[in-house]
Amino acid sequence: MSTKPRPTLDSLSDRFVRKAAPAVMPLGEAEASTPAAPEKSPRAGERDTRVQILTRIDPATRKRLKLIAVEQDRTIQDICEEAIRDFVIRNSK
């Protein structure tokens, strides 16, 4: 009985590629108020230095967040990171 070899993580990586961020910023968005470039997701061979934060939200909010992410061609992760950065900037002294 021969067993199939298990696929390596490298062979599965193309399934998990992140979407590229939109190239053009929407009109009316102030570039001066944007913080310094955030940490980008690591490329192959680079180490991700970000930390994980777990939170819970109600199903209706999650559904709306998913719709907004699709409309803006962004990931929920990207939207959450932006919201947290904005909150920290507003509340830093």
Side-chain angles (χ1 to χ4, degrees), residues 8-29:
T8 64
L9 291 178
D10 292 332
S11 68
L12 298 175
S13 63
D14 59 334
R15 294 184 188 178
F16 301 106
V17 174
R18 288 183 176 221
K19 291 181 185 177
V24 179
M25 287 184 110
L27 292 175
E29 211 172 289

Side-chain angles (χ1 to χ4, degrees), residues 8 18-19 41 43 52-53 55 60-61 78 92:
T8 64
R18 288 183 176 221
K19 291 181 185 177
S41 60
R43 295 185 179 166
Q52 182 178 3
I53 297 175
T55 186
T61 303
D78 182 42
S92 295

